Amino acid sequence: DAFEIMAENYEFKENEIFCLEFLRAASVLKFLPFPVTRMKDIQGLPCMGDRVRDVIEEIIEEGESSRAKEVLNDERYKSFKQFTSVFGVGVKTSEKWYRMGLRTLEEVKADKTLKWSKMQRAGLLYYEDLISCVSKAEADAVSLIVKNTVCMFLPDALVTITGGFRRGKKIGHDIDFLVTNPGPREDDELLHKGLLLYCDIIESTFVKEQLPSRKVDAMDNFQKCFAILKLYQPRADNSSYNMSKNRDMAEVKDWKAIRVDLVITPFEQYAYALLGWTGSRVSNYNSLCFLSISNLFLLLQDHSEIFLKAGSEEEIFAHLGLDYVEPWERNA
């Protein structure tokens, strides 16, 4: 927990190098088959730099990390933690609010001078649902809805759940899907067909002719949809019902708002996109050696480049000369 706190604090400060340093260390320690009780236990382990070792040593000696405790009590960290819990609010917006003197969500909501984006308004409207965990059962239910809906328009489409749930996790905070169509390029219009209740579509800027190029990260250019889906779910006991606060008369809610992200990728880029969006973030950085996994090249002696095609994740690993790693083994 101390490492994840430190990593999050560095993420709020936009220091990606230190953030990854602590995320990697947390990943390594989390999957050790034994508890670390002495410094000798981490001897020879990867990702154990000086900053990490200092924190481990203090926890062993004192039972807690003073640095992590200091972060938890830090006013900026506490404010950013609250602000970024709202769907659509990132570090830049949090920094802006903090510089305005705002410290809590209540203060943000009370400030009438703030202009909210459509996404942020939806994030506030469904806040309690969106900050709660999504279960594997809920992910499976949403997956069925998304697949059935997509296949109504594109019978041959491939719809794959990615992210933590593809890696075998039982809970998450949103559900990610990768969609591709092996047929004609009808996929460009898929997200315009009324698939979801709320959606913010980022249009594709992917240009096939720009590949191969080490300067183009194709994954950043695919069409995306950041959405909130209304999942109906009968509740077993009244204590777990949510009450609507947006109506004069409170009513029982028999549904839950769930974040759903969809990415539409050309079929020839599907394997690379699947590998990238499956994650984890740490696994991609560690195992794939900082390569842009949406653009894998062979640099020839005459300085020309060949884009290495792949029809599966296994082929990408083979291109890199790595043993294939199953999705559920990519959490660390």
Side-chain angles (χ1 to χ4, degrees), residues 156-168:
D156 296 327
L158 296 175
V159 181
T160 307
I161 195 166
T162 60
F165 287 112
R166 185 167 185 256
R167 301 195 309 271

Side-chain angles (χ1 to χ4, degrees), residues 53-96:
R53 293 176 67 87
D54 288 345
V55 173
I56 293 175
E57 188 170 19
E58 185 180 24
I59 292 174
I60 290 173
E61 293 177 356
E62 306 295 335
E64 62 180 3
S65 167
S66 61
R67 290 183 62 190
K69 196 172 181 180
E70 183 179 327
V71 168
L72 289 174
N73 291 321
D74 180 68
E75 184 178 61
R76 184 179 184 277
Y77 172 83
K78 288 191 288 186
S79 295
F80 274 54
K81 184 81 171 173
Q82 287 188 60
F83 297 160
T84 56
S85 69
V86 178
F87 177 47
V89 177
V91 174
K92 299 291 187 186
T93 300
S94 298
E95 182 69 43
K96 176 184 173 182

Side-chain angles (χ1 to χ4, degrees), residues 129-135 165 171-175 257-260:
D129 278 356
L130 298 182
I131 63 170
S132 66
C133 291
V134 178
S135 69
F165 287 112
I171 58 171
H173 287 96
D174 62 2
I175 312 171
I258 293 181
R259 272 198 54 198
V260 176

